[in-house]
Amino acid sequence: MFRKRSKSDVQTEYTCSIRFLDDTESIQLTFKKDTLGQWLFDRVCEKLNLVEKDYFGLRYVDSENQRHWLDPLKTVYKQLKGLSKMVLCFRVKFYPEDPMKLHEEITRYYLFLQLRRDLHHGRLLCPHDESIQLAAYIIQSEVGDYDPQDHGPGYVSEFKMLPKQTPKHEEKIMEAHRALIGQVPSDCEASFLRKAASMDTYGVDPHQVKDQKGDQLYLGVTHLGIMTFRGNRRTQLFKWAQIRRIAYEGKMFIVHHTNSEDEDASNSKKDISITAKHQAVGFKCATAPGAKYLWRCAVEQQLFFTLSSSATVPKIRSGGSIFSRGSKFRFSGRCQNEAYEASENIGRTEPPFARTSSLPNFGKRSHPNDNKNNTMRDSLASESFKDDRRKFNVYLASGKNKEEAAVDVPHIMVNNDSTVVKDGPQVSAPLAQAEPFEEKVQQVTVSSVSRAAPPQEPKENGQIVKDRAGVLETSIDETLPYEPNRTFEDSDEEENDASKPDLDDQIKKLEEEMVQPSMQKDLNLPSPAAAATAPSKTSGGKSSSGVCGKAVLLSLVLVLLLSMLMFYLVFFSPIKHPLLSNLRQHLQFLEPVRDFVGQKASLVGSYFKK
C-alpha cells in the first residue's frame, strides 16, 4: 500500500490490439502505465489517416461482459487492467445529425462502414423497401455495375447485409442493383448515408431495459434524444430540450422530463412550471454497471449534441447513496457545433484511401468514369496501415511530468525527441489472435418483446402519434420486432465461432491421433479417459472458507488489542498530552469502567504478590 513506485513500473510497456470497422487485420500498439487514452486514440486515427475524429472512439469489454468507451482523460492501464485480452474496437461514438456535413470522404466512408454493420445486425431497422435500396447501394459500392458475366444467379447471397436475409430479399436487391448502373462508390455511399440518417433507428446503440410494468423494451440514445422501442415501433421520444436531468440509482436509469412537445429558445423565458409538469420515468437495467454505462452514454450524447461550446461544460454527478459518493462525469473533446466548424477549416486535399471489400475474391468491374474517385483498388492510404516506425510522445497523467501535455492540443507540435520505448523490462499483455472478427463475448439471449406489446398506435411521451411515417417494417410477409443482435462487438462470425474448438481441444485431439491405443500399451501411457477420471492430488492446502475465517479472527484480535492499548493510554498512562487530555474529557462516561478495571487489576496484582 505504501510501496514507492519504482522506475521499472513506470517504464513497463503493455500491448493492446486494435480492430477496425472493415474487419481488416488488427494492429498492436504499446503503452505505459502513465499513457492516457487520448494518446492511444490519436495513434489509431493517425493509422487511419482520419482528421475528423470527434465522432469516433475506442470501445472495449471488461471481464464482466460490460461494454465501455475508452476514457481519453484516464490512463489506458487503469481502464484495461485485469483483462485477459487487451482488445479495443474502433467504432462510431456520435452519429452526426447530418452525415453530409462531414468534410472529407474518408470520414463518410468510415460512417458508412459502421451503418453497414448496424444494418446487418438489426440495429438499423427500416421499412422493407428502404432496406432493399440500402442493400443495393452496398452491392453497387462493393462490386460496381451489374454484369451478367461476372454476376451470376445468386451472387447477392454471398453478401450478408440484412439481419434475416431471404431469397425473396435477394431477388429484389438484385433488381435494385441493376438500376444503379453508372454510380461510383462515393455516390452510392452518399445516398446510403442520406437514407440511413432518415431512419428512426439511425445511430441507436440498443440497451435492453424493463419499464415500470416489467415489460422488456429497447432504449436508444441518438442526436434527437432518448427513445424507446417496443415491438417494431418507436413508442417514446424524449427530446433533449424536454429532458431536465438524467440519473441512475443502482439498476434504475431515470429520465426527468417535461410534457411540453415544442419547447425551444423562443419560449424558454416562459414559466415552464405552469405550462408543463415535470415527470420522472424509470427503466430497470439488467445490472448496476449496465445502468451506469447507459447513464454515461446518455449524458455524453446530450452534451455533445446540445452544447454550443465545450468551454461551458457543467459538472454532472449521479448514482450517490448513503454508502457511496456516486459517479462523476467529465466531458472531453469538442461538441458537434465545434466539430462542424473544425471540419470547414480543414485545409488538406482529399486524401486517397483504399476501400476494403467484404469478399476480396469476388469479381469487381471498375467504372470507366471513376477517375475522381479511383479509390477502389490501390491507394496511398494503404501505406498508413503499415508499421509506422515513427516515435511518438507519450501523454502522461496529471502530476507526472508538467512538461508534457495530458491531452492532444491542436496546432501544437509534439517533440519527436522523446519516445515511447525506453530502457526497462519488457512486459507484453496477452493478445488475442489477429482474426478478422471481434472479441468473443457471451451472447445474451433476447426474448421477444413483441408479445408484451399488443398492436397499437405509436406513442411519443405517452401520446398517440397518428400517420407517422416511421413505423418499422422489415419483412416481406410479416412485421418483425426490433430485436438487434446484442453481441457486444457485432461480429459476423460470433455465431459460427461457438462451434470452433478451442486451442486446448485441438492439442488434445492431435495427441490422441498421434498416440494410438496400441502405442499407449507399449509405452505404458494412461488412456485419456483414465487420465481424466484419475483423482488429482492436492497439495494439502486449506479451503478458502477456512482461510477467510482465520483472517476474520485475526482482525478481531487485532482490533481488541488496539482498543485495550488506547484505553490504557487514555485512563492509566501518565503521559500528559493535549490530545489525550481532550480524549479524557470526552470519555468521562467511561470512568466507572476505568474504576472497575483498576480494582480488578489491583486484585490480580496482589494475588501474584502473595
Side-chain angles (χ1 to χ4, degrees), residues 362-373:
F362 198 89
K364 177 185 289 188
R365 297 176 60 86
S366 60
H367 299 275
N369 57 345
D370 194 13
N371 296 326
K372 180 180 179 181
N373 300 283

Side-chain angles (χ1 to χ4, degrees), residues 336-587:
Q336 182 178 235
N337 292 335
E338 295 173 335
Y340 282 159
E341 293 177 0
S343 299
E344 295 175 356
N345 297 328
I346 295 177
R348 70 172 183 175
T349 57
E350 283 283 340
F353 61 96
R355 286 179 169 86
T356 57
S357 176
S358 56
L359 298 176
N361 298 325
F362 198 89
K364 177 185 289 188
R365 297 176 60 86
S366 60
H367 299 275
N369 57 345
D370 194 13
N371 296 326
K372 180 180 179 181
N373 300 283
N374 190 15
T375 58
M376 298 173 60
R377 298 178 183 271
D378 298 332
S379 174
L380 296 176
S382 60
E383 298 178 358
S384 63
F385 291 92
K386 298 178 181 179
D387 292 338
D388 195 351
R389 300 301 181 186
R390 290 179 298 172
K391 300 177 180 180
F392 302 109
N393 189 8
V394 179
Y395 293 9
L396 298 182
S398 59
K400 303 299 179 184
N401 191 348
K402 297 182 179 179
E403 296 178 357
E404 296 182 8
V407 294
D408 187 11
V409 181
H411 310 296
I412 294 181
M413 298 299 294
V414 179
N415 184 13
N416 292 329
D417 296 335
S418 57
T419 61
V420 175
V421 181
K422 296 182 180 180
D423 295 335
Q426 302 293 324
V427 178
S428 297
L431 289 178
Q433 295 182 355
E435 301 175 358
F437 56 89
E438 299 168 11
E439 61 266 25
K440 192 186 304 178
V441 181
Q442 182 181 3
Q443 185 173 0
V444 182
T445 304
V446 182
S447 60
S448 176
V449 297
S450 58
R451 297 174 298 176
Q456 58 181 357
E457 295 294 333
K459 296 181 179 181
E460 291 185 3
N461 298 341
Q463 303 296 327
I464 296 179
V465 181
K466 297 182 179 180
D467 300 332
R468 186 170 63 84
V471 178
L472 308 175
E473 299 178 358
T474 59
S475 177
I476 298 176
D477 302 324
E478 59 181 359
T479 300
L480 298 177
Y482 183 59
E483 290 185 349
N485 184 0
R486 299 189 70 246
T487 53
F488 282 106
E489 286 302 332
D490 322 325
S491 172
D492 293 340
E493 299 187 26
E494 288 281 352
E495 300 174 358
N496 300 331
D497 191 69
S499 60
K500 296 182 180 179
D502 296 336
L503 182 60
D504 296 338
D505 297 338
Q506 295 179 13
I507 295 174
K508 290 180 181 179
K509 188 175 181 180
L510 289 174
E511 290 178 351
E512 292 175 0
E513 293 178 357
M514 293 175 62
V515 183
Q516 299 296 334
S518 59
M519 297 177 62
Q520 292 178 2
K521 292 181 179 179
D522 298 336
L523 299 176
N524 295 324
L525 296 178
S527 62
T533 57
S536 59
K537 296 182 180 180
T538 60
S539 60
K542 296 182 179 180
S543 62
S544 59
S545 60
V547 174
C548 293
K550 199 171 184 179
V552 172
L553 183 60
L554 290 175
S555 301
L556 293 176
V557 172
L558 181 61
V559 171
L560 181 61
L561 292 176
L562 291 176
S563 301
M564 293 172 62
L565 178 61
M566 182 61 67
F567 188 82
Y568 172 78
L569 290 175
V570 172
F571 292 106
F572 297 101
S573 175
I575 301 174
K576 295 182 179 180
H577 191 274
L579 181 60
L580 293 177
S581 301
N582 292 332
L583 286 176
R584 292 187 183 101
Q585 292 179 2
H586 289 291
L587 298 178

